[in-house]
Amino acid sequence: MSLISLVGVRKDFGIRTLFEDLTLHVGEKERLGLIGPNGAGKSTLLRVLAGLEPPGAGARRVLPQARIVLVSQEPELDPERTVLEQVFAESGEKIELLRRYTAVSDALAHAHGEGAAEGADDAALLAELGSLNARMDQSQAWGLEQQIREVLDRLGITDTQRRVGDLSGGYRKRLALAAALVADPDVLLLDEPTNHLDADCIQWLQGYLERFSGALVLITHDRYVLDQVTRRIVEVDRGEARSYSGNYAYYLARKAEEEAAAAATEAKFKGALRRELEWLKRGPKARSTKQKARIQRIEAMQEAPRRQLKGQISLASNQRRLGKRAIEAENLEVWATDDARTAGAPPLLRNFSYDFSPEDRVGIIGPNGSGKSTLLDLIAGRRQPHGGRLELGATVKLAYFDQHSEAVLGSGKALEKKVIDVVKEAASSVELDGSQLSASQLLERFLFPPAQQHQPVSKLSGGERRRLHLCRLLIEAPNVLLLDEPTNDLDVHTLTVLEDFLEDFRGCVVVVSHDRYFLDRTVDRLFSFENGELHRFEGNYSAYLERQAAQASGATTTTAGTATGNTGPSSGTPSPASGALAAGTIGQPPGPASSAPPAKVRRRSFKENRELAELETNLPAWEERRGALEAQLGSGGSDYAALEAVTHELSELLVRIERGEERWLELSELAG
């Protein structure tokens, strides 16, 4: 049974069509993920589902009395309410049941207080009270305040008496999410719910959504959440919505098959059209009906609409050479504010020393407010430390992709600048892969078509502005990248390309992120803010979680803090913090030295994982081809030229199989 149905829906904004003739049904206990490029209309589609945006054409049908809650990226809340009041007010049926139960109870108490005999009205009130009692048991409305406080605490909101108007945008988003979860609606529509959440909150939210009893429609860049929570993927792209019955991993497999098939079909079509055009160029005398029909077929082939293959964003590296020195930090100290330091509050960072090497891949993790962005601000020179020394190498060209685009794109009237002018401010052209690209051509690589390049920045979606921000930074050819929550507002496709770019980037990368998938793909060393201290861990985020789980279960581990000094790829000089780093905690005295440090486990890189996956696909196909060739040879035949060709192909194939098997064994022995 469908709770919400869209039938033949169209939505456009002027000359731009977001989707057309879209039919989508949201059934009971649905687990639906919406994906697609920034600006494709995912958020608009959620608003249409919620009934907050009217469709331009088609129909929206909703099951009567279905409770629908949307948590948008910029929720509208009452600024005069306190945090607790806001969640109570948005608790839907639960708060209404509590209010009605209180009113009925008061009415009964008032009637009996006057000493009146029990009458028909009392019987009706008692019956309603019994019904309310049962409904409140079913919806767990009795412990509403306790539920609210627990959900708020899990989402990192502890001051329940603060005014909503005093909260930051990230806190307001978390507050709206808390209210939606407590309301327990029939249909929950979530637009990027993991933005502004730290890793622990995201992990908790993932488990909550897996247990959620209603229908869920989700937009998120967090691919682990998308894969674990969803059971159907709807891709919104170029005015179409295509449905895939499976989770994100299933979608990726099907999408790869579809794109391969589409490329093959397009190649066959072009080959057929080329042959027909060659026939036409030979100048046949179009006298017969057969010849005229062939010419008409050629004209039809030329005019036939064909689905274009998906545009590919390109982040080809255009960077300056980086010398042996990247970033040197020694005994850094910083407080949240000067007043906090004067008042004797604990610092955000104390005695932090580390030499970032030219090819370091470092992730910074920790709870919200722990000081992660402050550390990036220090490196970027936007803040000065209260103590210690921080220096950049002489050849460093730094780019800071922060959480806000105002520093690059501007705000207010500045947003009326054309998209292409934003890029031209940095460079009118750039050399990439040996080719000279104009600003317009570069924007096309970032999926901004010519028509959109002359629109004002204010017309772009949040994700498109982030993509433009990234384009503007990379055109300046940096060799040190600071990325603060880079996955916020970027679509999954752009994130995948960014991850591939970072894999080949020959420079230093420092990432602050709560996106577990992104950290797994991009970093090989972590600094974690834990209980006011900064801990170091060698490995990616999944390995870090394994270590945390092992410690929580009482197991011992020696993975963290074994390296000393600067352990970057080109480093041979220990940093001033060698003793502190060996202990695993910055600012703490070193622990007892172990007699023999454990050998570091060699892990497969992303490229090696991809190579292993390709071999696991290719080896069976090669063996199948080998069998077919051997069968051809076994059947004999008198065409010696053909037999010689088969023999030659088989010889080359055997060498390829042997080398492939050796490489497969080599890669399989490495840790994944």
Side-chain angles (χ1 to χ4, degrees):
M1 179 174 61
S2 293
L3 301 176
I4 308 175
S5 292
L6 302 181
V7 180
V9 165
R10 172 188 173 90
K11 190 66 182 178
D12 57 49
F13 293 103
I15 61 172
R16 185 180 182 187
T17 299
L18 295 179
F19 39 84
E20 187 171 15
D21 197 23
L22 182 149
T23 296
L24 179 64
H25 302 283
V26 179
E28 291 181 314
K29 300 185 182 301
E30 182 78 75
R31 291 291 185 274
L32 192 154
L34 286 180
I35 66 173
N38 293 130
K42 302 186 296 296
S43 296
T44 302
L45 180 53
L46 274 194
R47 291 182 60 82
V48 173
L49 285 169
L52 301 177
E53 189 83 38
R60 171 183 178 268
R61 303 188 184 108
V62 183
L63 189 71
Q65 299 180 342
R67 294 172 296 118
I68 303 168
V69 173
L70 166 67
V71 181
S72 64
Q73 295 194 46
E74 297 181 1
E76 297 180 3
L77 306 175
D78 187 340
E80 298 305 319
R81 287 174 176 159
T82 66
V83 167
L84 199 58
E85 289 170 346
Q86 181 66 44
V87 183
F88 265 117
E90 301 294 332
S91 297
E93 183 187 31
K94 293 181 181 180
I95 191 65
E96 295 302 324
L97 288 172
L98 275 173
R99 287 171 178 164
R100 183 58 187 163
Y101 187 90
T102 302
V104 173
S105 298
D106 289 347
L108 277 170
H110 180 72
H112 290 172
E114 294 177 349
E118 186 174 322
D121 290 344
D122 284 351
L125 288 172
L126 285 168
E128 184 179 1
L129 199 66
S131 174
L132 288 169
N133 205 353
R135 290 172 62 191
M136 289 175 68
D137 285 339
Q138 184 179 8
S139 64
Q140 299 180 335
W142 294 111
L144 180 57
E145 183 171 351
Q146 182 181 349
Q147 294 173 35
I148 290 173
R149 291 186 183 277
E150 181 181 349
V151 171
L152 287 173
D153 183 64
R154 288 288 196 165
L155 294 177
I157 302 174
T158 55
D159 189 353
T160 59
Q161 297 307 313
R162 286 185 66 184
R163 285 179 66 254
V164 171
D166 297 333
L167 300 177
S168 66
Y171 266 77
R172 285 197 295 270
K173 176 69 178 289
R174 279 185 273 168
L175 179 57
L177 178 60
L181 296 180
V182 171
D184 196 28
D186 298 310
V187 183
L188 182 58
L189 310 174
L190 299 180
D191 194 351
E192 294 291 0
T194 61
N195 282 2
H196 311 292
L197 297 183
D198 61 34
D200 289 340
C201 291
I202 294 172
Q203 189 73 27
W204 174 83
L205 177 63
Q206 177 179 312
Y208 193 102
L209 294 179
E210 287 175 348
R211 298 187 301 272
F212 177 62
S213 60
L216 173 68
V217 183
L218 173 69
I219 298 172
T220 182
H221 62 261
D222 191 308
R223 284 151 288 179
Y224 283 149
V225 171
L226 196 61
D227 195 51
Q228 292 298 315
V229 173
T230 62
R231 298 293 177 268
R232 181 158 67 105
I233 298 293
V234 172
E235 181 186 44
V236 182
D237 187 17
R238 290 167 292 175
E240 297 180 5
R242 308 189 70 188
S243 182
Y244 299 82
S245 297
N247 64 1
Y248 181 65
Y250 174 82
Y251 158 79
L252 288 178
R254 284 293 310 276
K255 193 66 180 173
E257 293 172 1
E258 287 181 2
E259 291 189 352
T265 300
E266 181 71 7
K268 290 179 182 178
F269 180 88
K270 288 180 178 178
L273 180 58
R274 184 177 63 254
R275 289 192 297 272
E276 293 294 314
L277 288 172
E278 287 173 357
W279 175 85
L280 192 61
K281 287 177 182 177
R282 287 198 295 267
K285 296 179 181 179
R287 295 174 182 171
S288 70
T289 303
K290 186 175 181 180
Q291 289 172 326
K292 289 179 181 178
R294 188 168 184 178
I295 293 171
Q296 289 172 355
R297 187 173 74 230
I298 295 171
E299 292 173 348
M301 289 175 71
Q302 289 175 313
E303 295 173 1
R306 301 193 302 280
R307 178 179 174 83
Q308 296 295 316
L309 294 177
K310 187 174 182 177
Q312 297 293 317
I313 188 171
S314 173
L315 305 187
S317 180
N318 169 44
Q319 68 180 85
R320 295 172 171 83
R321 186 188 66 84
L322 180 60
K324 294 183 178 180
R325 290 180 66 233
I327 308 163
E328 294 180 359
E330 182 178 358
N331 297 325
L332 285 185
E333 289 189 334
V334 65
W335 274 258
T337 63
D338 291 336
D339 291 341
R341 183 189 185 193
T342 304
L348 294 175
L349 193 63
R350 175 190 289 129
N351 297 336
F352 176 66
S353 298
Y354 181 72
D355 292 349
F356 293 84
S357 76
E359 293 191 5
D360 242 342
R361 296 291 187 273
V362 177
I364 312 294
I365 61 175
N368 288 325
S370 58
K372 303 183 300 296
S373 296
T374 300
L375 179 56
L376 292 194
D377 286 344
L378 290 175
I379 296 172
R382 295 184 180 182
R383 289 189 62 167
Q384 295 302 313
H386 289 105
R389 177 183 66 88
L390 191 144
E391 293 182 2
L392 303 184
T395 58
V396 165
K397 173 62 177 177
L398 187 144
Y400 189 3
F401 188 52
D402 62 9
Q403 295 188 50
H404 310 286
S405 305
E406 287 82 358
V408 172
L409 305 183
S411 58
K413 291 184 178 180
L415 293 179
E416 297 308 311
K417 285 186 296 188
K418 294 179 181 178
V419 170
I420 194 168
D421 291 337
V422 171
V423 175
K424 283 183 176 179
E425 287 174 355
S428 59
S429 64
V430 63
E431 185 175 340
L432 287 178
D433 299 333
S435 302
Q436 197 74 19
L437 296 180
S438 66
S440 178
Q441 291 171 321
L442 183 70
L443 280 168
E444 285 193 62
R445 287 199 173 199
F446 277 75
L447 303 186
F448 289 104
Q452 196 176 21
Q453 294 173 17
H454 294 277
Q455 290 182 350
V457 175
S458 60
K459 298 294 184 182
L460 301 181
S461 69
E464 287 172 322
R465 292 188 194 185
R466 292 281 280 170
R467 192 173 350 119
L468 178 60
H469 183 186
L470 187 61
C471 176
R472 168 64 188 269
L473 289 177
L474 295 184
I475 200 176
E476 296 175 357
N479 50 31
V480 173
L481 284 176
L482 306 181
L483 306 175
D484 192 0
E485 297 294 354
T487 63
N488 284 359
D489 298 321
L490 288 181
D491 60 76
V492 170
H493 176 59
T494 304
L495 286 179
T496 302
V497 178
L498 177 58
E499 289 158 358
D500 290 341
F501 169 79
L502 294 178
E503 180 75 20
D504 297 322
F505 180 72
R506 312 315 299 174
C508 178
V509 180
V510 185
V511 181
V512 168
S513 181
H514 299 308
D515 189 311
R516 299 160 293 172
Y517 192 100
F518 188 83
L519 287 172
D520 276 350
R521 281 205 56 185
T522 57
V523 308
D524 49 30
R525 179 175 298 118
L526 293 172
F527 282 107
S528 170
F529 283 88
E530 299 173 15
N531 300 319
E533 301 291 347
L534 194 57
H535 294 248
R536 175 172 163 183
F537 177 82
E538 296 296 325
N540 63 14
Y541 191 75
S542 288
Y544 169 79
L545 287 181
E546 290 172 7
R547 194 280 303 267
Q548 295 293 88
Q551 287 185 339
S553 64
T556 58
T557 180
T558 55
T559 307
T562 58
T564 62
N566 186 341
T567 57
S570 62
S571 170
T573 307
S575 80
S578 297
L581 288 173
T585 305
I586 305 301
Q588 293 289 329
S594 61
S595 58
K600 184 178 178 181
V601 177
R602 165 82 159 85
R603 303 183 71 86
R604 285 194 299 271
S605 68
F606 169 71
K607 284 186 175 179
E608 288 171 332
N609 277 324
R610 186 163 54 188
E611 182 184 359
L612 180 61
E614 289 174 354
L615 284 171
E616 289 176 342
T617 301
N618 290 337
L619 282 170
W622 293 341
E623 288 289 353
E624 185 177 344
R625 179 59 180 163
R626 172 186 176 177
L629 292 174
E630 289 175 343
Q632 280 185 258
L633 287 176
S635 64
S638 57
D639 189 343
Y640 295 105
L643 290 174
E644 185 178 356
V646 170
T647 302
H648 180 69
E649 182 183 350
L650 179 59
S651 176
E652 290 184 341
L653 184 60
L654 290 173
V655 172
R656 193 185 317 154
I657 290 173
E658 182 180 0
R659 291 176 178 173
E661 288 176 340
E662 289 176 357
R663 182 60 174 159
W664 182 89
L665 287 171
E666 180 182 332
L667 293 174
S668 298
E669 290 173 355
L670 300 177

